[in-house]
Amino acid sequence: MSDANSALISRFYQAFQRLDAEAMVACYSADISFSDPVFGTLRGQDAGDMWRMLTQRAKDFSLTFDSVRSDERGGGAHWVATYLFSQTGRVVVNDIQARFVIRDGLICQHDDSFDLWRWARQALGMPGVLLGWSPMLQNKVRQQAFKGLRAFQQGR
């Protein structure tokens, strides 16, 4: 089972490397719960739409992944995404640890963790350097991300 789970995790990231959101979403269960420091917790369709939005908007994007590990209940991986943050035109190199819970051959929980202050310094420049650690700026980043997701969903 752990070999199948490792293959599922690798398939997810290989699809991400190709910016193939539909193949990524196909690795998820219908009741997926996704979380990360920017979007917070997204469930079901919202999680899939986040990947659709991010892959469609990706500019100068590359992704590497390694350290795929798994057991009978889930697994994890390390991945690094490099991309142009469109709102500021700044390059971001985001270093992420992922944890997965897998049920019936599909990912039912996906938790990404990374340093939001480090991300803000790269994405936002000086405001991120000065205020990226603050709950105020971090909450603003989260609100903007969620607002962008809702706008994407309404435009489809």
Side-chain angles (χ1 to χ4, degrees):
M1 179 61 98
S2 66
D3 287 345
N5 289 346
S6 288
L8 176 65
I9 293 166
S10 293
R11 192 165 60 249
F12 178 86
Y13 287 113
Q14 289 163 352
F16 199 178
Q17 288 175 320
R18 297 187 311 271
L19 297 174
D20 184 347
E22 295 312 316
M24 294 170 71
V25 173
C27 296
Y28 279 171
S29 64
D31 64 343
I32 181 69
S33 174
F34 169 87
S35 71
D36 83 354
V38 170
F39 285 93
T41 300
L42 300 174
R43 299 186 194 289
Q45 186 73 32
D46 285 346
D49 284 347
M50 175 204 60
W51 293 121
R52 289 177 183 99
M53 177 184 73
L54 293 177
T55 57
Q56 285 180 23
R57 294 180 177 173
K59 300 279 188 258
D60 296 330
F61 177 85
S62 68
L63 181 136
T64 61
F65 69 98
D66 56 35
S67 303
V68 173
R69 60 202 176 283
S70 67
D71 59 27
E72 65 281 349
R73 296 190 62 231
H78 167 254
W79 60 284
V80 177
T82 303
Y83 57 93
L84 189 69
F85 186 63
S86 61
Q87 292 178 351
T88 61
R90 299 176 59 86
V91 173
V92 172
V93 179
N94 202 8
D95 191 312
I96 302 163
Q97 290 294 326
R99 187 180 67 78
F100 301 95
V101 176
I102 298 172
R103 181 184 68 233
D104 299 328
L106 294 171
I107 299 165
C108 62
Q109 184 176 334
H110 176 178
D111 300 306
D112 280 346
S113 60
F114 58 88
D115 183 338
L116 187 53
W117 187 11
R118 183 174 186 272
W119 178 89
R121 290 192 305 263
Q122 295 177 76
L124 306 176
M126 194 52 69
V129 170
L130 297 174
L131 298 171
W133 59 270
S134 73
M136 179 190 71
L137 185 77
Q138 290 182 2
N139 287 334
K140 182 176 173 114
V141 165
R142 288 183 189 104
Q143 289 169 355
Q144 286 298 109
F146 195 72
K147 183 179 173 185
L149 175 59
R150 287 296 182 242
F152 172 81
Q153 290 171 320
Q154 290 173 357
R156 290 182 37 174

